[in-house]
Structures are given as structure tokens and as C-alpha cells.
Amino acid sequence: MPQLPAPDYPAEVRARLAADAREVIGRYPDSRSALLPLLHLVQAEEGYVTRTGIRFCAEQLGLTTAEVTAVSTFYTMYRRRTGGDYQVGVCTNTLCAVLGGDAILEALRAHLGVGHGETTADGKVTLEHIECNAACDYAPVVMVNWEFFDNQTVESATRLVDELRAGRTVQPTRGAPLCTYRETSRILAGFPDERPGAVEASGGAGPASLAGLRLAKGEGGPVKVGPPRTEPPQDEHPPEHPSSHDAPQQTSASDADHPSGPVTEEGEG
């Protein structure tokens, strides 16, 4: 059984976090609304949301530890245990999957020797299986600490994790330069990214995301999206589907000569 209540932060750490917490809470008319950024704040301290971090958030906001725990375990952006400096998330939702996301995930599992939510022995990379990275127009997509690496292949994704583990500088396809998971958590808590040029590098949507907007403005010329839809003449019947799976079959309700059920099993001639 865990020790109850959770241990407190050392006095110096608690004083520093309390000052940051007051700044975060002051941004909201209702202090409870500050819970999500406060969870990022305590995650930035130890790399995951510890029992001590949950206790701290509860005390700062006048909540119970059960209420804080319920929120921290609902959102996948909050870790429940220690992890690596770089969280590598591979999307396997529909578009990413058919374009290679499944193959990328399996290749990284084998290459790194870890599964979903597990961390390499050197503490550098935590692998995550993600349902959607919200970047379907750049599929397949891998994210590292929530920065985009678009149009990936098995080879490029493998090279990416090798460079992260080797400590080399890795540049996302778009967005700000990479920082560690803890540094990212502090930024998500609402504190400024002090790195020179980081804010300017964030930029906006990429060309693929803006293609529809350009077309809507008439900047890309007419685009044929498919053949025109027409209704068949009223005196013609649509052709029968060639698959027996879709053909209506006689049943005891429609065929008095065969009261026991279908004439044939589905799929048989």
C-alpha cells in the first residue's frame, strides 16, 4: 500500500512551485480552471504526475486528491510513471495506418525493444501508440514531445529515434525546435519558451493544411473532385450486385417451400 498521505516536496521546491502556481491560478476567474496547467507544472518537475504532485495541486486549488487524480488519469498527456526525455508518438489511425503508420510502430517496437508506454534503458525515448496526431494531411505522422515529424517512413522514423538517443539536434518538420519532455510540460503549463527564436519558429499551418483554403479563395483553379452524380432513368433498374453476400436470400418467412430457413448458406452457390 502507498504511504498516505503522499510526501510533500522539499521546502525549496515547494516554495518555487507555489509561486508559479499563484501565477497560473491568477489567470482564471475560477481557481479550479487552473488544474490542467498545474498538472503540467508538477509534471515538469519530476517528468510525470507523482502522488506528491497530485497532493500539491489539490492543496493549491482546494480540491481533494481524488478529484485531481480523476483528471490526471483521464488525459493521456499526463504521465503516470517516469518516462524518457523524448516521448515518441506514432499515429495508427486510419489514414496514417494505411500509409505506413502500423509498419512504423512495429519497426520502432522492434528497434527500440520497448512497447507502448515503455522507455528505453538509457532513459531517452518513451514509445507511445497514438490514435490520432491531428495531422492527416501529412500522414504518416510521428510526434516527439508534441512537435510534428511529417510524412514519415520506417527508415526516417528509425533514424529519428537513433538521433534522439545519440543526443543530436533534431529539427521537426514544422513548429518549434525540440526540447525535453519536462521543458515541454512547463511550456504547456503556460510559461514562456525563453529559447531564442522558438516562438517565431512555431509558425502556422503548413501548405497541405491550407490547400482547401486556397481552393476556396479561387487561388488554385478549378479542381475535379469526382464524377458528377446522376440519378438512373426511372424506367431502368439498377444492375444486380454480383456478390452473393449482398443478394437477398429466401427464408422461412418468404419461401413456403423451405420453412426451415435459407435455401443455401451465405456465400454458397
Side-chain angles (χ1 to χ4, degrees), residues 240-251 254 262-264 266 268:
E240 294 184 1
H241 198 286
S243 172
S244 63
H245 292 275
D246 298 317
Q249 297 197 26
Q250 293 177 329
T251 68
S254 61
V263 176
T264 59
E266 184 178 356
E268 294 183 354

Side-chain angles (χ1 to χ4, degrees), residues 32-55:
R32 188 187 184 104
S33 300
L35 178 54
L36 296 183
L38 281 192
L39 286 169
H40 283 298
L41 176 65
V42 298
Q43 183 165 253
E45 186 65 30
E46 298 180 83
Y48 70 110
V49 178
T50 64
R51 292 171 51 245
T52 297
I54 289 174
R55 171 185 171 181

Side-chain angles (χ1 to χ4, degrees), residues 37 44 82 125 137 139 155 183-184 219:
T82 186
V125 171
D137 40 356
E155 293 75 18
E183 292 168 336
T184 301
E219 298 175 1

Side-chain angles (χ1 to χ4, degrees), residues 21-189:
R22 286 192 295 271
E23 180 179 341
V24 172
I25 295 170
R27 301 169 187 163
Y28 300 91
D30 183 349
S31 63
R32 188 187 184 104
S33 300
L35 178 54
L36 296 183
L38 281 192
L39 286 169
H40 283 298
L41 176 65
V42 298
Q43 183 165 253
E45 186 65 30
E46 298 180 83
Y48 70 110
V49 178
T50 64
R51 292 171 51 245
T52 297
I54 289 174
R55 171 185 171 181
F56 175 83
C57 291
E59 292 174 348
Q60 296 297 312
L61 300 175
L63 302 173
T64 66
T65 55
E67 289 174 311
V68 177
T69 300
V71 174
S72 68
T73 56
F74 179 84
Y75 294 100
T76 58
M77 290 182 73
Y78 301 118
R79 286 178 175 172
R80 305 185 193 183
R81 57 181 181 270
T82 186
D85 293 333
Y86 300 99
Q87 185 153 308
V88 177
V90 183
C91 177
T92 62
N93 216 329
T94 306
L95 194 55
C96 279
V98 299
L99 292 176
D102 286 336
I104 291 173
L105 180 61
E106 290 307 313
L108 291 186
R109 280 174 171 166
H111 184 68
L112 297 173
V114 298
H116 168 68
E118 297 177 347
T119 304
T120 53
D122 57 11
K124 292 293 185 180
V125 171
T126 297
L127 184 62
E128 185 179 20
H129 177 195
I130 293 180
E131 276 300 307
C132 184
N133 276 328
C136 301
D137 40 356
Y138 293 97
V141 175
V142 172
M143 293 190 85
V144 180
N145 294 352
W146 315 117
E147 299 294 349
F148 288 104
F149 289 80
D150 304 319
N151 303 309
Q152 291 293 293
T153 64
V154 168
E155 293 75 18
S156 65
T158 302
R159 185 166 58 252
L160 168 63
V161 296
D162 285 345
E163 291 176 346
L164 291 173
R165 298 182 72 184
R168 302 189 186 100
T169 300
V170 176
Q171 184 63 40
T173 308
R174 50 202 165 97
L178 278 184
C179 55
T180 67
Y181 189 84
R182 294 189 186 191
E183 292 168 336
T184 301
S185 293
R186 183 169 177 81
I187 295 169
L188 291 174

